[in-house]
């Protein structure tokens, strides 16, 4: 099972570094704070000649990949809710769209704003 969203990729020529603290992130509802350090370096789009002043160039996929384990199969057979299945999947190490998106923001591939716009 695979879900995918496209987010805009930051222009590597003009993206701007900034520091985001946990406190600032805590205002975002349902933010998975536990997986974040005290403060994180993220990037803002700025805009230059190479990206027609948009701050973005191209798109990149954000993925959710669910490995169908025996537990998941059993739940599916029992007609468990999607929510319950997802809970088990996350416990078994599934990377959610949100996690993959935030990871790509941490890597400077896209911006937090873009991840929130498309996924959160
Ligand atoms: Zn640019």
């Amino acid at each position: 099972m695979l879900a995918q969203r496209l987010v805009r990729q930051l222009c590597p020529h003009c993206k701007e570094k900034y520091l985001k603290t946990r406190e600032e992130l805590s205002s975002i509802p349902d933010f998975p704070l536990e997986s974040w350090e005290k403060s994180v370096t993220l990037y803002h789009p700025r805009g230059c000649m190479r990206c027609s002043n948009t701050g973005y160039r191209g798109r990149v996929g954000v993925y959710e990949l669910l490995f169908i384990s025996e537990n998941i199969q059993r739940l599916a057979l029992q007609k468990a809710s999607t929510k319950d299945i997802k809970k088990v999947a996350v416990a078994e190490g599934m990377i959610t769209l949100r996690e993959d998106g935030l990871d790509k923001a941490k890597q400077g591939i896209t911006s937090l704003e873009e991840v929130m716009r498309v996924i959160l």
Side-chain angles (χ1 to χ4, degrees):
M1 212 181 293
L2 178 74
Q4 183 195 2
R5 301 278 185 286
L6 286 176
V7 294
R8 287 179 294 168
Q9 199 167 350
L10 284 166
C11 170
H13 304 288
C14 62
K15 65 181 182 183
E16 266 179 345
K17 232 183 210 182
Y18 70 101
L19 213 58
K20 192 104 176 157
T21 64
R22 267 180 87 121
E23 286 69 46
E24 289 174 295
L25 293 166
S26 63
S27 63
I28 303 168
D30 290 331
F31 195 85
L33 270 182
E34 57 288 354
S35 63
W36 286 59
E37 316 285 325
K38 254 191 157 42
S39 59
V40 198
T41 305
L42 294 171
Y43 295 85
H44 273 313
R46 194 181 54 177
C48 67
M49 269 168 60
R50 301 199 205 194
C51 59
S52 317
N53 277 314
T54 57
Y56 292 99
R57 270 188 103 176
R59 281 169 197 268
V60 65
V62 170
Y63 304 100
E64 180 168 278
L65 189 57
L66 173 60
F67 171 72
I68 312 292
S69 68
E70 279 176 30
N71 278 334
I72 305 279
Q73 272 180 24
R74 192 165 37 78
L75 283 171
L77 284 173
Q78 290 165 355
K79 307 233 184 316
S81 68
T82 310
K83 204 177 146 199
D84 285 343
I85 292 177
K86 193 159 177 174
K87 213 187 278 173
V88 172
V90 169
E92 290 183 349
M94 179 179 89
I95 305 291
T96 62
L97 277 176
R98 177 185 288 212
E99 282 170 339
D100 193 35
L102 292 173
D103 203 51
K104 287 190 161 99
K106 279 188 200 169
Q107 290 174 42
I109 297 169
T110 189
S111 65
L112 183 64
E113 294 78 6
E114 185 66 4
V115 173
M116 287 172 57
R117 185 180 72 82
V118 177
I119 299 160
L120 295 186

